[in-house]
Amino acid sequence: RRSLGPDTLAGIDLSVNRSATLSSAREGWLDIRYAQHGATVHLTLTRAGGEALRRARANRLQRLALNLGDNPGRRLEWISPHGFDILEVYAPESAFPYQFLATDGESCMLSGALRFDDPTASARPDSMAPLYDAISSDLHRSLVDLRLRP
């Protein structure tokens, strides 16, 4: 595992798998590429406080639900050791089989969505399960270690 550089997602310390590659189209956005699994996790960092953070979180929750489509999903809500409220959504039959939302409740929110390159992946959840499990487990470990930089 390795930590992202200080300029990648300003103010956030997030560790990722060493085999993953990173790219950023603009500030606050980051793609974690798992080439060996044919998958990308799209991350977005939102900096806001108070009512603006509450609205941003509500918007992101709506987006998570829309990404599920008509597919069933399983929610896991927990608090990280570093004080982040975490929501993970597992939906292997969805175009976005794993999504998450993490917020410190005060100044930032990090969200992410996994997408496989193969457009038929969601129609084959059983055959994709090993890849899905590997990536979602890796991202769960990242969320356990997620923290704000001092």
Side-chain angles (χ1 to χ4, degrees):
R1 299 195 65 78
R2 63 186 163 138
S3 286
L4 303 181
D7 298 327
T8 308
L9 288 172
I12 295 289
D13 189 8
L14 181 73
S15 64
V16 296
N17 190 299
R18 286 192 181 280
S19 66
T21 58
L22 308 172
S23 64
S24 179
R26 63 181 185 210
E27 186 178 334
W29 291 53
L30 180 71
D31 285 343
I32 302 173
R33 177 84 180 133
Y34 293 86
Q36 73 275 25
H37 298 314
T40 302
V41 179
H42 305 286
L43 299 179
T44 304
L45 177 65
T46 303
R47 290 290 197 172
E51 182 62 22
L53 182 60
R54 190 197 65 73
R55 281 193 314 273
R57 185 176 187 281
N59 177 275
R60 183 51 48 193
L61 286 171
Q62 182 180 34
R63 171 53 50 200
L64 293 178
L66 290 171
N67 285 347
L68 288 175
D70 292 330
N71 299 295
R74 182 174 52 94
R75 294 171 61 112
L76 176 61
E77 295 183 63
W78 52 284
I79 299 172
S80 77
H82 305 289
F84 277 83
D85 291 324
I86 311 284
L87 167 64
E88 294 176 279
V89 178
Y90 300 88
E93 296 174 9
S94 166
F96 296 93
Y98 173 81
Q99 302 176 82
F100 72 85
L101 178 64
T103 181
D104 70 345
E106 294 179 16
S107 65
C108 71
M109 177 179 65
L110 182 66
S111 60
L114 166 65
R115 184 158 185 110
F116 286 103
D117 298 344
D118 181 349
T120 67
S122 62
R124 300 179 291 114
D126 291 341
S127 64
M128 298 300 290
L131 304 179
Y132 164 78
D133 290 344
I135 296 170
S136 62
S137 293
D138 186 60
L139 292 169
H140 180 84
R141 281 192 301 276
S142 296
L143 293 171
V144 167
D145 295 335
L146 178 66
R147 68 185 80 199
L148 292 175
R149 285 196 184 103

